[in-house]
Amino acid sequence: DTGVSQDPRHKITKRGQNVTFRCDPISEHNRLYWYRQTLGQGPEFLTYFQNEAQLEKSRLLSDRFSAERPKGSFSTLEIQRTEQGDSAMYLCASSPRTISYEQYFGPGTRLTVT
Amino acid sequence: AQTVTQSQPEMSVQEAETVTLSCTYDTSESDYYLFWYKQPPSRQMILVIRQEAYKQQNATENRFSVNFQKAAKSFSLKISDSQLGDAAMYFCAYRSGREYGNKLVFGAGTILRVKS
């Protein structure tokens, strides 16, 4: 069990560019979540996958955001036409399909839009 | 919609002393779970303790315990015998008990500083 991993850890991009982040959950965890955390705030839910199905999306996830989880393993989060307001830490978490409901978090990807 | 409020932006505690972090929440659901997560500087978030709403007994994990007051919708975290390694941002979080209501709703966090 190597934990949840995210890549890259840091991303600096210019406004208007597209960026893509990757999350590798703990193996055999069928639930995967994306959250966004701005400085000094708690994480806010973006979207949730159970296996490859995207079951819930937050209203925070505008049309410029898209997430996928092909084959129910790793997931990608893409932001198109980035804006300065997109600067944040993007956290990924996974959990098993058990009653425990604990979510295990990755280290996050810090995005800076200049 | 559920909300979680942490009214203490920052707390300080002397090493070996006890500190209590406050959390209140608002929900109309009767089945839910409450969590305290710890986020050390530049490190990933880890679960500290979990409380199921249907359990009357307060959860305890070593030096960490909670005071769960369901009627008051209060969920405080007590850290006993504080250690330097406890210094971190602490988040209170709520999760619905519904099968597919999986998202965590977080408070704004409390920075805990531990003085040696």
Side-chain angles (χ1 to χ4, degrees):
Chain A
D1 179 3
T2 58
V4 178
S5 61
Q6 293 187 244
D7 184 69
R9 295 291 305 276
H10 303 275
K11 178 71 177 179
I12 299 174
T13 191
K14 293 185 177 180
R15 188 175 57 185
Q17 297 294 305
N18 299 343
V19 293
T20 300
F21 310 141
R22 176 179 170 124
C23 170
D24 287 89
I26 294 172
S27 58
E28 298 177 357
H29 280 193
N30 70 333
R31 299 180 177 188
L32 187 146
Y33 314 81
W34 285 98
Y35 294 86
R36 182 171 69 186
Q37 184 179 19
T38 52
L39 199 61
Q41 298 298 314
E44 295 175 293
F45 171 77
L46 291 178
T47 190
Y48 151 63
F49 290 85
Q50 182 159 316
N51 299 313
E52 66 275 9
Q54 189 174 20
L55 296 185
E56 189 175 354
K57 293 198 301 184
S58 163
R59 283 171 290 181
L60 291 175
L61 214 63
S62 74
D63 292 344
R64 296 185 297 106
F65 288 70
S66 63
E68 294 181 344
R69 193 183 182 197
K71 303 178 183 179
S73 55
F74 71 91
S75 175
T76 58
L77 177 67
E78 181 183 15
I79 308 175
Q80 296 183 326
R81 304 181 304 282
T82 52
E83 302 173 355
Q84 288 189 320
D86 297 331
S87 296
M89 176 76 84
Y90 290 84
L91 297 170
C92 176
S94 70
S95 72
R97 192 179 180 180
T98 66
I99 203 71
S100 71
Y101 295 114
E102 176 178 352
Q103 294 183 19
Y104 297 80
F105 282 82
T109 293
R110 181 166 295 284
L111 173 67
T112 302
V113 182
T114 61
Chain B
Q2 295 81 23
T3 59
V4 176
T5 301
Q6 294 178 249
S7 58
Q8 305 155 317
E10 189 171 328
M11 293 283 284
S12 292
V13 63
Q14 200 70 33
E15 202 175 0
E17 299 289 303
T18 295
V19 65
T20 298
L21 308 184
S22 301
C23 173
T24 59
Y25 59 95
D26 188 27
T27 183
S28 58
E29 297 179 325
S30 58
D31 182 22
Y32 53 87
Y33 298 77
L34 296 166
F35 306 86
W36 279 97
Y37 276 88
K38 170 185 177 181
Q39 188 176 41
S42 301
R43 294 178 62 187
Q44 60 205 78
M45 194 157 350
I46 57 173
L47 180 68
V48 174
I49 198 165
R50 173 181 61 230
Q51 175 79 43
E52 293 86 347
Y54 63 83
K55 289 186 177 179
Q56 293 186 339
Q57 187 172 6
N58 289 324
T60 299
E61 288 287 341
N62 301 315
R63 298 182 296 106
F64 298 88
S65 62
V66 298
N67 183 4
F68 173 48
Q69 301 289 326
K70 191 171 185 179
K73 296 180 181 175
S74 170
F75 182 61
S76 60
L77 174 69
K78 185 171 82 171
I79 306 174
S80 304
D81 185 26
S82 296
Q83 301 175 359
L84 294 177
D86 295 333
M89 176 77 96
Y90 286 81
F91 292 101
C92 177
Y94 171 101
R95 183 211 181 279
S96 169
R98 291 181 291 116
E99 174 64 19
Y100 294 103
N102 289 278
K103 66 185 178 188
L104 290 169
V105 178
F106 286 88
T110 297
I111 298 172
L112 178 65
R113 303 191 192 282
V114 182
K115 303 175 185 176
S116 59

